[in-house]
Amino acid sequence: MKPLIKVMLILGCLFALTFVAGRLLGILTVENVQNWLEWAARVDPLVVAGIIVLLLFADLFVAVPTLTITILAGFLLGFPMGAAAAFTGMSLAAFSGYGISRIWGQRGITFLVKDADDRAALTNSFQSGGPFMIMLSRAVPIVTEVSACMAGATRMPLAHYCIFFAVGTVPYVLIATYAGSISSLDDPAPTIIAVLGLNAVLWTSWVVFNRRGKEQSA
């Protein structure tokens, strides 16, 4: 388990650095994203959809406010068009991370974890706990990208990753975009309820998953 934690922490720190850099430079803040999408909405819905896809794809490289963008997708594009755009962007990010790491990830793991037995233990640990991590990754920022890269690097079968990713992402996208589609500036209640509900369910599930993992380790 320690080699897995080590590699995931390093990956998490790298992704976190992009988040910090983006905030310090004023790039991809909530305000910027909202301004871009509102401008695009005055141009054409397809432009809005394209920007949403690109923003959520960029989440693989630079941390973006994913939930805010997903809700705005529903608000500006309606449902289900907003859901389709958001899911497309998230899928591009996830499967790009999986693909890149499947090709080059083993080299990175070998560089970070020198012992062959430790590398084998890392792979076994992720194959065991990875599915739950992928399904619950929306609960914690950056974990989605880290779990996608780890799935590719440890050679998790693509079909399995697709299933786990869909189980965790499809409900998230549908709920967030639908809430955005029925919200307005005068009535933001659906969005507030969706945000609180999603966070409560995901965080509760994440706590239960971590507790079970600790019990199994003990």
Side-chain angles (χ1 to χ4, degrees):
M1 183 64 74
K2 288 184 178 179
L4 175 62
I5 294 173
K6 172 185 175 181
V7 173
M8 292 190 67
L9 282 175
I10 292 173
L11 277 174
C13 288
L14 291 175
F15 283 115
L17 284 175
T18 67
F19 175 82
V20 173
R23 295 304 177 273
L24 291 176
L25 296 173
I27 302 171
L28 294 179
T29 62
V30 173
E31 293 77 11
N32 286 343
V33 168
Q34 187 169 350
N35 290 335
W36 294 342
L37 291 175
E38 288 176 351
W39 166 81
R42 295 192 292 269
V43 179
D44 191 281
L46 290 178
V47 177
V48 177
I51 291 177
I52 287 168
V53 170
L54 288 174
L55 285 172
L56 292 174
F57 170 66
D59 194 34
L60 176 62
F61 308 100
V62 182
V64 301
T66 304
L67 182 56
T68 299
I69 294 171
T70 307
I71 291 172
L72 285 171
F75 178 73
L76 296 172
L77 295 174
F79 186 87
M81 185 177 177
F87 186 72
T88 299
M90 291 182 190
S91 298
L92 285 173
F95 291 110
S96 295
Y98 174 93
I100 292 169
S101 299
R102 190 175 179 89
I103 297 171
W104 291 294
Q106 278 295 320
R107 298 178 188 177
I109 290 176
T110 301
F111 175 76
L112 295 172
V113 182
K114 305 300 183 183
D115 187 79
D117 291 337
D118 285 344
R119 292 197 296 272
L122 179 153
T123 299
N124 291 334
S125 296
F126 189 81
Q127 295 296 339
S128 175
F132 296 99
M133 191 178 300
I134 295 166
M135 289 186 286
L136 300 176
S137 62
R138 297 290 168 191
V140 184
I142 299 173
V143 174
T144 301
E145 294 75 31
V146 171
S147 61
C149 292
M150 290 303 304
T154 57
R155 302 299 176 90
M156 175 182 284
L158 179 59
H160 292 179
Y161 178 70
C162 287
I163 293 170
F164 302 139
F165 172 77
V167 169
T169 302
V170 170
Y172 177 93
V173 168
L174 292 178
I175 292 170
T177 53
Y178 180 72
S181 71
I182 61 175
S183 298
S184 66
L185 295 177
D186 295 327
D187 182 21
T191 294
I192 296 171
I193 293 171
V195 170
L196 293 177
L198 281 170
N199 285 329
V201 171
L202 288 170
W203 271 103
T204 300
S205 301
W206 189 259
V207 169
V208 171
F209 166 68
N210 283 336
R211 183 174 298 173
R212 289 185 177 180
K214 290 178 181 178
E215 291 174 353
Q216 290 175 358
S217 297

